[in-house]
Every structure is written in structure tokens, then in C-alpha cells.
Amino acid sequence: IFLIVMKDVWKTYPNGVMAINGIDVQIQKGEFVFVVGPSGAGKSTFIKMIYREEKPTKGTIIIDDTNLAELKERHVPYLRRKIGVVFQDFKLLPKLTVYENVAFALEVIDEKQEDIKRKVMDVLEIVKLKNKARAFPDELSGGEEQRVSIARSIVNKPKVVVADEPTGNLDPDTAWGIVDTFKEINERGTTVIMATHNKDIVDKTKKRVIAIDGGRIVRDELQGEYGYEI
Ligand code: ADP
Ligand code: ADP
């Protein structure tokens, strides 16, 4: 039932910065989790360790029954397929259309064009951008760009989507559209983990909140609140 387990996880960067200082956490399949905390608290490091962009200095991370410490390099791509990643700055390829940006993320080995098309159009429908399939990123609003990046993150049907400040560059109304998109994905069965500074969204959404400060979990509540003054 646990999709993500961290046991006594520590991360010290090569420059000596102690970013994560003994984290224990369990996240179940299907949960929606906000990660909050001040700048420099360790939120990004926590998220990066989930998709193995960073490795812990000490401790155990288990993702979908795989102990990351025992994961062979050649098996990392299989792990990555289980995890969709969404960034604050979208990271779309500017010379590709919306359709192509999403199709590009699909494992295209031996897939029939019609299957690729069906999968891409299905996720564009979920993020409400079917009508923008032919557009290029510079023809979209920020909120639309982020929804393309969400479509890209889910097209491989990952078990979990992690998002690091996905609304950080967006105005409040647009930010709510992004959260609604994540809620939709979550209701379809995907676990969502979202680091955010958006107090209004966290307080009104009433989902699990993990608060990190100084590299430790200082609060972990179901239906939690943002809890910091901003
Ligand atoms: P947050 O996402 O909460 O702002 P981060 O995880 O980005 O926190 O950073 C936690 C601490 O680790 C900060 O002190 C930050 O400066 C430091 N840090 C983050 N990334 C690196 C890195 N690649 N090398 C060295 N220090 C880093
Ligand atoms: P149609 O195929 O009739 O245009 P669809 O709803 O099937 O309508 O597709 C919507 C849009 O998706 C297309 O108009 C096109 O912009 C884009 N699209 C579909 N398939 C591809 C493809 N293989 N390569 C690039 N873009 C595609």
C-alpha cells in the first residue's frame, strides 16, 4: 500500500550543506500531498530524491517496493517511468508543438502511430488542451504551458507525479487551474506530491500537508494547513 517510504534519510551536498536531516515518511498509493516550508527548507531536495535526481547520503528510500539503494543504473529508466515530474519553469521544447512535446515523452519504442496519437490526445483531453495540439509553446499562456507539461508527465501512466512549485510563475487564478488539473489526475488514481508556497491553495484544498523546516519534517497532517506566514 505504501508507494513511497523514507527511513532515516539524510542528504548533505558536496559543499557541506545539510539539506535533509533525518526524514521518516510514508506516502500511500493515491494520496495527494502538499510539501510546504520556507525557502531553503529542503523541499526540492526531498522531491529530487524521490525521482533519484539526488541520492541520499544515508538512509533508505523505497519507491513502489524498489529500494533505490539497490537499484542498478540500468534500471533507473524503469523507475523514472513510474514517476512524472513537473517543474516551475515548464521545460517544454520550444520548437515542438504541444502534441509533439507530449508524444516525445512517450516511450516510442515499437508503438504504433495510432496508439501514440490516442495516448497523447487522451492526456491533452484531461488537461483541456486538445484544441491546442498544433500550437507551439510560445503561442500559449503560462497556465496552458504548465498543463502541457502536466500532460507530458502523465502520458506514460506513472504511479506518482511530483511537482516542485508548479504554480510559482503563475497568477492566482491560473494557479487554481493547475491545482484542479492535479486533483483530476489524483482522482483518476495517480499519487500527487506538490511542493508549494501558495498558502491559499493549501489552506482551501484540505489535503495532506508535510511541512519541512531545516531539513526535518516538522508537521505532517491529513487535511492540513500551510501554517507559515508569507
Ligand atoms: P527548498 O526547496 O525548500 O527551497 P532546497 O532543497 O532547494 O530547499 O535546499 C535546501 C538546502 O540545500 C539549501 O540550503 C540550499 O541552498 C541547499 N542546496 C540545494 N541544492 C544544492 C546543491 N545542488 N548543492 C549544494 N547545496 C544545495
Ligand atoms: P485531426 O486528426 O482530425 O486533426 P484529432 O482530434 O485527431 O483531429 O487531432 C487533433 C490535433 O492533434 C491535430 O489537428 C493535430 O494538430 C494533432 N495531431 C494529431 N496527430 C498528430 C501527429 N501524429 N503529429 C502531430 N500532430 C498530431
Side-chain angles (χ1 to χ4, degrees), residues 97-100 103 113 116-118 120-121 124 130-135:
T97 65
V98 165
Y99 181 96
E100 291 161 348
Q113 277 305 317
I116 293 173
K117 180 169 179 178
R118 179 179 46 78
V120 174
M121 296 314 283
L124 288 181
K130 250 182 125 170
N131 60 334
K132 301 272 180 170
R134 292 172 189 274

Side-chain angles (χ1 to χ4, degrees), residues 6-187:
M6 292 194 186
K7 288 182 208 160
D8 194 30
V9 167
W10 297 69
K11 173 69 183 183
T12 304
Y13 283 106
N15 63 356
V17 172
M18 295 171 69
I20 295 291
N21 300 305
I23 276 190
D24 287 277
V25 75
Q26 298 176 325
I27 294 172
Q28 293 185 46
K29 194 170 179 297
E31 279 197 272
F32 191 121
V33 182
F34 288 118
V35 179
V36 306
S39 286
K43 303 180 296 297
S44 294
T45 305
F46 174 76
I47 294 220
K48 285 176 180 169
M49 287 193 298
I50 294 172
Y51 64 96
R52 212 172 186 260
E53 174 72 17
E54 295 289 351
K55 291 181 188 176
T57 322
K58 175 170 164 303
T60 304
I61 300 178
I62 297 164
I63 311 279
D64 198 26
D65 294 329
T66 300
N67 184 334
L68 298 196
E70 293 161 8
L71 186 70
K72 301 213 166 50
E73 278 311 314
R74 68 173 190 276
H75 289 149
V76 170
Y78 296 99
L79 172 79
R80 290 271 165 81
R81 235 167 274 171
K82 294 181 183 182
I83 306 169
V85 185
V86 174
F87 303 94
Q88 180 170 358
D89 61 356
F90 324 135
K91 297 197 192 300
L92 301 179
L93 297 166
K95 292 188 172 157
L96 301 186
T97 65
V98 165
Y99 181 96
E100 291 161 348
N101 263 280
V102 178
F104 188 79
L106 206 53
E107 302 300 327
V108 283
I109 320 129
D110 270 356
E111 277 223 71
K112 289 192 214 125
Q113 277 305 317
E114 65 195 67
D115 291 336
I116 293 173
K117 180 169 179 178
R118 179 179 46 78
K119 288 181 183 178
V120 174
M121 296 314 283
D122 281 354
V123 292
L124 288 181
E125 170 137 46
I126 292 169
V127 302
K128 301 190 167 64
L129 282 175
K130 250 182 125 170
N131 60 334
K132 301 272 180 170
R134 292 172 189 274
F136 287 90
D138 66 3
E139 298 168 321
L140 303 176
S141 68
E144 288 172 336
E145 285 190 88
Q146 190 57 297
R147 272 153 44 220
V148 177
S149 102
I150 294 171
R152 177 185 60 187
S153 79
I154 59 171
V155 74
N156 274 307
K157 299 201 180 298
K159 306 223 170 187
V160 54
V161 172
V162 296
D164 196 352
E165 299 230 23
T167 65
N169 287 338
L170 305 172
D171 64 63
D173 280 356
T174 310
W176 273 108
I178 297 304
V179 173
D180 287 340
T181 306
F182 280 124
K183 277 160 83 180
E184 171 77 29
I185 288 163
N186 180 244
E187 276 156 25

